């Protein structure tokens, strides 16, 4: 899990190692977290092994450290040895 500030929002990103993907929650109010989205490249109609399986390590890149000027989430996948780079926005 990593936490990062996007605009005026605090987001928590939780890796789902077994099923794959990342759940994103708005935790600006930690007493009332709000689900935002599920990030995945997995195709649930095919193989259990997707192009990106087993998210293990994550790093949140702040907008001022990002080459795009926008916050990013880097996810290292243990099973496939791949890396996802997701743009992060607060809704």
């Amino acid at each position: 899990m990593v936490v990062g500030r996007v605009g005026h929002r605090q987001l928590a990103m939780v890796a789902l190692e077994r099923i794959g993907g990342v759940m994103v929650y708005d935790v600006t109010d930690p007493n009332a977290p709000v689900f935002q989205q599920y990030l995945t490249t997995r195709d649930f109609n095919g193989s259990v092994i997707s192009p990106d399986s087993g998210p293990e390590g994550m790093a949140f890149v702040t907008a001022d450290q990002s080459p795009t000027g926008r916050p990013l989430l880097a996810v290292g996948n243990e099973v496939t040895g791949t890396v996802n780079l997701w743009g992060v926005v607060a809704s």
Side-chain angles (χ1 to χ4, degrees), residues 8-79:
H8 298 293
R9 300 281 181 203
Q10 193 76 13
L11 300 180
M13 288 137 287
V14 182
L16 303 175
E17 185 176 2
R18 296 285 184 209
I19 194 161
V22 176
M23 303 290 278
V24 181
Y25 292 89
D26 183 332
V27 293
T28 306
D29 178 353
N31 294 314
V34 177
F35 171 73
Q36 295 293 299
Q37 63 182 327
Y38 172 51
L39 305 172
T40 186
T41 59
R42 183 172 176 183
D43 177 0
F44 287 92
N45 295 316
S47 169
V48 174
I49 302 297
S50 74
D52 305 297
S53 290
E56 182 75 22
M58 296 191 299
F60 181 78
V61 182
T62 61
D64 62 331
Q65 295 176 327
S66 168
T68 65
R70 297 183 181 191
L72 299 171
L73 175 65
V75 180
N77 298 287
E78 176 184 28
V79 174

Side-chain angles (χ1 to χ4, degrees), residues 74-86:
V75 180
N77 298 287
E78 176 184 28
V79 174
T80 54
T82 57
V83 175
N84 298 96
L85 194 58
W86 301 92

